[in-house]
Amino acid sequence: MPIIDSAVYVDGHRIENPSSLDQTFEYMEAHGGMAWIGLLRPSPEELERVATEFSLHPLAVEDALAGHQRAKLERYGDNLFAVLRPARYIDATETVEFGELHVFIGTDYVVTVRHAEVPDLSRVRRRLEKQPDLLARGPEAVLYAILDEVVDQYDPVARGLQNDVDEIEDQLFSTRGADLTQRIYELAREVIHFQRAVEPLRDMVAALLRGADKYGVDIELQRSLRDVLDHALRQSEKLTALRAILDNALTVNATLVTQRQTETSLEQNDQVKKISGWAAILFAPSLVGGIYGMNFRDMPELNWTFGYPMALGLMAATSIGLWLAFKHKHWL
C-alpha cells in the first residue's frame, strides 16, 4: 500500500502510528479519533479499500483514480471532495509544473491522494501537529492547512512568471522575430494554465465560507479561510495583469515585426530604383554606340565631319537627361 503517512489524532494530538490501513481503522474505533491517511498513486484496489471503509462516493473515487481533473470542490452529504492543482516553477526550463491532489474530508477522517510529488503534505502535517489547538478542530482544519499550503506555493510560481514577463518587456524593442513571438506565446500559455489552477480555488474557498454556518465550521477556521481567499484573489489579480501585459507584448511585437518588414521592403525598393536608374543611364550610350557601330555602307553620318562629336554629344545628353529625371524622382 503506497501510504506516505497515516496517523490517528485525538484532541489535536497524534496518539498512534499505524503501520497498515487495518490498524488505522482499529485505532480510530478504539480511541474515537480522527484519521489522516496520505496516499501516493494508489492502485484501484488500494483506493477501493479506503473507499469501502469510509464510504467514499463512487464518483469521487473514480475521479481520484482517473486523475487529470480540473480544480473543483464537491459535496456528497456530510463529506467533501476537493481537487487541487498545486504548482511549482522550474527555473532551469522557465516553465510551470502542475501536480494534482485529491482530498476526501469526512466527519472523522482525511484521505489525501497525490498523483505527483507536489505539494509536500508532510510539511502541512508537521505544521498542524505543532498546533494541536488548530488540529483539534477536526478535518476542516486539515483542509484549511492544505489549501493554505497550495496557495502559498503559488507565490514563487507567480514571481517566476513575473520575472519572465519582465525579460520579455526588456527584449521587446531590442529583439524581434519569430523566436520572441514564440516565447511570448509559450509564456502566455503558462499563465493561462496557472489561471486555471488558481481561479477555481478562489471559488472553492468562497463556497466553503458560504456553507460554514450551515455545517458548523469553527469561527476561527472561517477567519483562516478568509485569509486564504484573500491570498487567492491577489494571485488571480496578478495573473490577470500578467496576461494583459503578454497580450499587449504580442501585439506590439507583431507591429514591430511588420514595421521592420515594411522598412526592409522600402529599402529593397530604393535599391531596385537605384539599380534600374543607373542601368537606364548606362544603356542610353550603349544604344547610340551600338547603332553607330553597325558599319553599314549607306549611313549618312559616316562621311560627315561632325558625326563623331555628334554621337558623343548625344550619348552625354541622353545620360545627363536620364540622370536629372531620376534625381528629380528621388531614384538616385
Side-chain angles (χ1 to χ4, degrees), residues 54-327:
F54 294 126
S55 300
L56 304 181
H57 196 279
L59 291 177
V61 174
E62 182 180 346
D63 286 346
L65 285 173
H68 305 289
Q69 302 294 314
R70 62 179 179 84
K72 62 182 179 179
L73 176 70
E74 295 178 347
R75 183 175 288 277
Y76 299 98
D78 292 332
N79 300 329
L80 284 172
F81 173 63
V83 180
L84 304 176
R85 299 300 307 275
R88 64 175 176 175
Y89 184 79
I90 309 299
D91 287 318
T93 58
E94 294 186 340
T95 56
V96 181
E97 180 183 88
F98 295 93
E100 189 169 338
L101 173 63
H102 302 260
V103 185
F104 297 87
I105 300 292
T107 55
D108 58 354
Y109 68 85
V110 177
V111 177
T112 58
V113 180
R114 284 190 294 154
H115 290 278
E117 300 302 323
V118 291
D120 184 5
L121 294 183
S122 62
R123 181 164 51 193
V124 178
R125 193 185 289 263
R126 290 193 298 269
R127 169 191 164 193
L128 283 175
E129 289 177 352
K130 293 177 181 178
Q131 298 176 281
D133 292 341
L134 176 59
L135 189 53
R137 293 185 172 93
E140 291 86 357
V142 177
L143 178 59
Y144 150 70
I146 293 174
L147 290 170
D148 190 48
E149 175 69 16
V150 170
V151 174
D152 283 346
Q153 291 306 307
Y154 287 159
D155 266 337
V157 178
R159 287 196 298 270
L161 291 174
Q162 179 66 65
N163 290 336
D164 291 341
V165 171
D166 291 342
E167 291 176 2
I168 291 293
E169 289 183 308
D170 292 339
Q171 297 172 4
L172 196 56
F173 293 96
S174 60
T175 305
R176 293 191 291 274
D179 290 341
L180 183 59
T181 301
Q182 181 179 353
R183 178 62 182 133
I184 295 173
Y185 175 78
E186 291 174 349
L187 187 55
R189 187 174 57 183
E190 295 284 351
V191 172
I192 291 171
H193 289 169
F194 193 29
Q195 275 186 309
R196 291 174 182 170
V198 173
E199 292 186 353
L201 190 144
R202 175 194 61 190
D203 298 334
M204 291 162 56
V205 178
L208 288 172
L209 289 170
R210 286 195 299 270
D213 293 335
K214 178 179 178 181
Y215 292 98
V217 178
D218 184 86
I219 188 65
E220 289 299 323
L221 276 180
Q222 293 185 43
R223 294 188 179 115
S224 298
L225 286 172
R226 288 192 187 93
D227 181 67
V228 174
L229 178 59
D230 289 342
H231 198 166
L233 287 172
R234 289 196 298 272
Q235 294 293 349
S236 182
E237 291 169 356
K238 288 179 184 178
L239 293 176
T240 300
L242 289 180
R243 188 170 177 181
I245 291 172
L246 288 171
D247 288 342
N248 291 335
L250 195 59
T251 302
V252 170
N253 184 64
T255 302
L256 292 173
V257 170
T258 302
Q259 181 182 353
R260 178 58 180 167
Q261 290 174 343
T262 302
E263 292 173 354
T264 302
S265 178
L266 291 174
E267 290 175 1
Q268 291 175 344
N269 288 340
D270 289 340
Q271 294 297 326
V272 170
K273 289 178 181 178
K274 289 179 180 180
I275 293 172
S276 300
W278 284 112
I281 291 171
L282 294 174
F283 174 72
S286 300
L287 177 62
V288 176
I291 292 174
Y292 281 91
M294 288 189 288
N295 298 321
F296 288 110
R297 290 178 60 91
D298 297 326
M299 291 183 68
E301 294 84 1
L302 289 178
N303 297 317
W304 184 35
T305 304
F306 298 102
Y308 181 64
M310 186 274 295
L312 292 177
L314 182 60
M315 293 179 189
T318 306
S319 298
I320 293 171
L322 288 173
W323 183 82
L324 291 173
F326 291 141
K327 194 71 173 179

